[in-house]
Amino acid sequence: MKDRKKNITLALAGNPNAGKTTIFNALTGARQHVGNYPGVTVERKEGDAEYQGRSIHVIDLPGTYSLSAYSPDELVARRALLDEDLDVVVQVVDAGNLERNLYLSVQLMAMKIPLILAFNMMDEVKKRGIKIDVGHLETLLGLPIVPTVGYREEGVDRLLDKVMEIADEGAPPSADVRFGAELDRSVESIQREIEKGGKQGKYDPRWLAIKLLEGDGEMVDFMGDAGEVAVLEKAHAEQERVRMLIGDDPEILLADARYGFVHGAVSEAVSLTVEGRRTLTDKVDTVLANRVLGLPIFLFFMWLTFEATFTLGAPLMDLIDSAFSALGGTVAAALPGGMLSSLLVDGAIAGVGGVMVFLPNIVILFLMVSIMEDSGYMARAAFIVDRVMHLVGLHGKSFIPMFLGFGCNVPAIMGARILENERDRITTVLVCPFISCSARLPVYVLLAGAFFPPARAGNVVFSLYILGVVVAMVMAKLLRTYVVKGPPTPFVMELPPYRVPTLKSVALHMWERAWMYTKKAGTIILAMSLVVWFLSNFPRQTRYSPEIEKALAEAGGLESAPEEVKLAAQREKMENSYAGTIGRGIAAVLEPAGLGDWKVGVSLFAGFAAKEIVVSTMSTLYSLGESGGEKGDLRAVLRADPFFSPLRAYAMMVFVLLYAPCMATVAVTYRELGSWKWAALMLVSTTTAAYLASAAVWWGGKLLGLS
């Protein structure tokens, strides 16, 4: 018996859509955090659990269908399984799709790691009339199997019991998959050569032999670095022997043998209790995934999402706005007038409050998106738009990272790793920033709420999201035609069964986004608000224009001057500040696009750091030099500004939708694609599209008499 370990390290592996995240949430709850694997931008999710007085550290590996190391996700998952000090690996298996999921199991078995299979979604299996002889399948595979229903947390305790047992006692030997006489002979021949050299390191010799027969690039490099020339020569000779004898590539033959093993095991252990039964998923899909109705229904759900975001968020926005206005008033009353009061009230409180007021909209948006993801509808959306995506040289799988862009472009770009084809991945990464992320939503809500009636504001916001998708499609077509040429890659879209989202899962997603948004408001947005305040107040102006000097002299000084003279003096001071100088330069460039105002120029310039900063910058600038309207209500202040109109507001929203993404998005593009040329192309293409589109809106609107 092994010594009982106080702390256990557990890794969760599995196919996408197998319910791995649900099991991870059931194990760790809110005790989880997200980072990156060392040296790569692949997301690393970790959490902690306590069970029977022992600590379990849980690592959620990237979802992957195999461990062939073709995609970044596969490579990272495989390296984690081989390199990390893991006590137990749990593969979460979609029990209703065993043949697809057990292919990964066979690869894990070959690695000789302590493995448990969690057969998830067993409730769906029963509904579909499928009977799994779990005991017989355990015997065939040589692996412990624990049935679970992740979203109801059924079987989680039994799973943890098995984790404890394996960690303490060790794993039973799993079955050795045989590949047929000739392939087995080749594997054994290479294995003997590996063992003769004795330089396999931490790798199981048989697994390493299989990888070398497949021609696995990473393992070939590993043996080359170890100086094992004889092993590599033997592997090459066996590859040629197999090709000559069987007439096909060893990698393909090994994959066929794995699928054959899985098919045989499933055939023996799985049966249908009800023949030809149509599931609820099948019935719903006849409508939601219909070739004719599917796209209009999807667009309706998207419209409903943004309408709810705007309508339901409005009352909560007003409450938060009132709270920050009251806070600003309290601080202003408590401090004597001067630089410190202005810094706190007009800089920090106005800047952060101007962004935090939109927190309800962000939470509601992610509530709707989380429901669509957790219910299984997101996979249908990719299936529905597949035909449309083919028109621009992509396929429906590219839509999944693009849809993630509605939340944030950074994980959307990282999500493009699911695409095996490099051309598809590059194209998808470059068009993701045209998809409107949640950071842009505060700008839309501010301007749409200020210049359009409440009944139309939601439709205005929805039109921007549709415009972003259309521009992304056009840009994808241009890229596939002129930059990353090549035929689209065919794929099979896996459609998981529909499920009712759990309150816990939805709440976790909403909490994560709300906390990230609040943390950004308290860090980068606060810092940028103070920078904008400084740029707007310096250099200090001691003299004004002759007209204002005369008015001030007649009034006996600035403090006793009429309100309109004070506002004029404040506006002049700001226009002559560093911010005014920067803004006037940008405004001159933006004039043809209808955005030739220095405050707009400064706000858009600051927005390159993070798009929420567009709002916080406007809030700071208009707090320092209000042009009328109710104190603290930025929407009223904007309506009173003679520069703005509904047409200019829409042109500005279009520019914010399309122009250069935030610095984090540019950085992750470089890290994902490995070249600054792609990041530069992204900056140029997005800003050019934004300029042309907003100019078209402005001049088109003027021609139609809308200005």
Side-chain angles (χ1 to χ4, degrees):
M1 178 185 290
K2 286 187 174 182
D3 294 333
R4 283 173 58 89
K5 299 183 68 174
K6 178 68 174 175
N7 300 317
I8 297 171
T9 302
L10 163 69
L12 290 178
N15 290 184
N17 298 316
K20 183 164 58 67
T21 300
T22 307
I23 295 291
F24 178 73
N25 290 337
L27 290 173
T28 62
R31 293 167 296 178
Q32 50 186 255
H33 59 274
V34 178
N36 285 337
Y37 286 90
V40 292
T41 55
V42 176
E43 186 179 271
R44 180 188 181 101
K45 208 168 186 180
E46 299 179 69
D48 294 290
E50 295 287 334
Y51 189 69
Q52 295 181 356
R54 300 170 74 179
S55 298
I56 303 175
H57 184 65
V58 186
I59 302 171
D60 186 14
L61 300 177
T64 178
Y65 293 107
S66 75
L67 296 172
S68 300
Y70 285 132
S71 73
D73 278 354
E74 290 176 349
L75 187 60
V76 165
R78 192 172 85 177
R79 284 177 178 168
L81 289 164
L82 292 169
D83 298 344
E84 305 233 9
D85 186 17
L86 302 173
D87 296 298
V88 185
V89 176
V90 172
Q91 183 196 347
V92 181
V93 172
D94 177 359
N97 196 0
L98 283 182
E99 292 207 26
R100 180 72 175 269
N101 283 245
L102 290 180
Y103 182 82
L104 177 62
S105 309
V106 170
Q107 292 184 303
L108 292 170
M109 288 157 57
M111 297 168 76
K112 301 302 179 185
I113 55 179
L115 181 63
I116 302 170
L117 301 185
F119 273 21
N120 198 30
M121 298 181 275
M122 288 295 284
D123 57 333
E124 299 289 342
V125 169
K126 292 176 182 176
K127 288 179 185 176
R128 291 165 59 185
I130 299 172
K131 182 180 179 181
I132 301 175
D133 188 338
V134 172
H136 186 43
L137 201 51
E138 281 185 317
T139 302
L140 293 171
L141 300 177
L143 294 173
I145 299 173
V146 179
T148 62
V149 181
Y151 73 95
R152 293 206 297 250
E153 300 189 13
E154 291 181 8
V156 172
D157 286 347
R158 291 195 299 276
L159 179 61
L160 288 172
D161 288 335
K162 186 59 69 173
V163 167
M164 297 291 184
E165 179 186 325
I166 297 297
D168 293 338
E169 305 290 342
S174 59
D176 273 335
V177 177
R178 311 315 295 182
F179 302 109
E182 294 301 334
L183 287 171
D184 284 340
R185 174 184 164 186
S186 292
V187 169
E188 289 163 7
S189 178
I190 299 169
Q191 182 179 343
R192 284 194 299 271
E193 197 68 40
I194 291 171
E195 291 171 339
K196 188 189 303 181
K199 295 182 181 178
Q200 67 267 25
K202 62 200 167 190
Y203 303 124
D204 177 79
R206 186 172 191 273
W207 177 82
L208 184 54
I210 294 169
K211 292 287 108 184
L212 292 174
L213 185 59
E214 285 181 330
D216 185 285
E218 189 178 39
M219 292 300 103
V220 169
D221 291 343
F222 170 76
M223 295 307 288
D225 293 341
E228 289 283 21
V229 177
V231 172
L232 294 178
E233 288 177 347
K234 172 63 72 174
H236 180 71
E238 291 299 329
Q239 288 171 348
E240 292 304 314
R241 189 185 72 83
V242 168
R243 290 190 186 100
M244 182 183 68
L245 284 175
I246 306 178
D248 213 336
D249 191 85
E251 184 180 15
I252 295 172
L253 296 170
L254 288 165
D256 287 344
R258 291 189 189 105
Y259 276 118
F261 174 85
V262 170
H263 180 72
V266 171
S267 298
E268 285 196 42
V270 179
S271 59
L272 285 174
T273 58
V274 180
E275 296 291 340
R277 177 175 170 179
R278 292 186 76 221
T279 66
L280 177 62
T281 290
D282 296 329
K283 296 173 183 175
V284 174
D285 273 345
T286 59
V287 178
L288 295 188
N290 185 277
R291 292 175 65 86
V292 176
L293 298 176
L295 188 57
I297 291 173
F298 172 65
L299 292 175
F300 168 75
F301 282 138
M302 292 299 297
W303 170 83
L304 187 64
T305 295
F306 300 118
E307 185 69 22
T309 297
F310 195 93
T311 305
L312 299 179
L316 296 173
M317 282 177 57
D318 292 337
L319 285 175
I320 297 175
D321 192 26
S322 299
F324 273 95
S325 296
L327 177 62
T330 301
V331 174
L335 295 174
M339 297 295 290
L340 179 60
S341 176
S342 177
L343 174 67
L344 293 176
V345 177
D346 300 325
I349 295 175
V352 173
V355 171
M356 284 302 296
V357 73
F358 301 103
L359 179 60
N361 306 97
I362 300 297
V363 171
I364 293 169
L365 172 65
F366 277 94
L367 167 66
M368 303 294 283
V369 170
S370 177
I371 289 172
M372 284 194 278
E373 284 183 327
D374 292 355
S375 67
Y377 183 66
M378 194 63 63
R380 271 77 186 172
F383 175 77
I384 290 162
V385 302
D386 183 52
R387 283 180 297 159
V388 178
M389 300 292 280
H390 273 292
L391 297 177
V392 299
L394 294 173
H395 51 62
K397 201 170 182 179
S398 293
F399 182 75
I400 295 175
M402 290 172 68
F403 193 92
L404 291 175
F406 286 124
C408 178
N409 291 148
V410 171
I413 287 170
M414 293 166 62
R417 296 188 309 264
I418 65 172
L419 303 169
E420 294 83 3
N421 183 279
E422 186 180 11
R423 293 187 302 270
D424 291 343
R425 189 159 60 245
I426 292 171
T427 305
T428 303
V429 166
L430 293 180
V431 302
C432 272
F434 293 109
I435 304 299
S436 187
C437 66
S438 61
R440 297 171 171 103
L441 184 61
V443 184
Y444 306 155
V445 174
L446 171 67
L447 295 175
F451 294 100
F452 296 92
R456 291 172 51 201
N459 294 334
V460 169
V461 174
F462 177 62
S463 73
L464 293 165
Y465 281 85
I466 294 299
L467 176 62
V469 173
V470 170
V471 173
M473 295 296 99
V474 172
M475 190 59 65
K477 183 65 175 177
L478 293 174
L479 288 169
R480 290 310 304 265
T481 303
Y482 299 107
V483 182
V484 280
K485 305 174 184 178
T489 306
F491 86 112
V492 176
M493 187 70 225
E494 185 175 317
L495 299 179
Y498 289 106
R499 305 180 192 95
V500 177
T502 64
L503 181 61
K504 181 176 181 179
S505 175
V506 171
L508 272 173
H509 289 152
M510 290 170 59
W511 166 250
E512 284 177 2
R513 293 307 308 181
W515 173 240
M516 286 175 62
Y517 188 79
T518 304
K519 191 162 62 172
K520 188 186 286 188
T523 52
I524 184 172
I525 291 170
L526 173 60
M528 285 300 298
S529 297
L530 298 179
V531 169
V532 170
W533 176 89
F534 173 82
L535 293 175
S536 305
N537 279 277
F538 292 91
R540 302 296 290 171
Q541 184 165 334
T542 57
R543 302 286 300 176
Y544 295 96
S545 64
E547 296 82 3
I548 294 179
E549 286 285 353
K550 181 180 178 182
L552 291 175
E554 291 174 352
L558 183 62
E559 291 300 321
S560 55
E563 191 64 27
E564 61 270 15
V565 175
K566 288 182 181 179
L567 286 172
Q570 181 70 0
R571 281 195 294 269
E572 184 174 297
K573 183 181 77 170
M574 291 178 64
E575 288 173 7
N576 292 328
S577 67
Y578 296 128
T581 303
I582 295 169
R584 284 196 302 276
I586 298 172
V589 176
L590 295 178
E591 181 65 40
L595 303 176
D597 177 78
W598 75 269
K599 292 179 184 175
V600 170
V602 172
S603 301
L604 294 174
F605 178 74
F608 178 57
K611 291 298 174 282
E612 299 97 333
I613 293 174
V614 173
V615 171
S616 66
T617 301
M618 295 181 76
S619 186
T620 299
L621 293 177
Y622 279 97
S623 292
L624 289 168
E626 293 190 44
S627 54
E630 181 184 344
K631 176 75 174 174
D633 186 350
L634 183 55
R635 287 168 292 184
V637 174
L638 290 174
R639 280 194 294 268
D641 188 339
F643 170 79
F644 271 107
S645 66
L647 181 60
R648 284 192 195 274
Y650 194 76
M652 182 173 177
M653 287 188 279
V654 168
F655 195 91
V656 169
L657 163 70
L658 300 174
Y659 89 113
C662 66
M663 290 186 293
T665 300
V666 176
V668 81
T669 297
Y670 162 68
R671 287 160 63 187
E672 286 290 316
L673 299 183
S675 172
W676 281 113
K677 73 174 183 179
W678 298 119
L681 178 59
M682 173 184 285
L683 285 171
V684 171
S685 63
T686 51
T687 305
T688 301
Y691 195 90
L692 295 175
S694 55
V697 168
W698 172 243
W699 291 104
K702 289 187 73 171
L703 287 173
L704 295 173
L706 301 177
S707 60

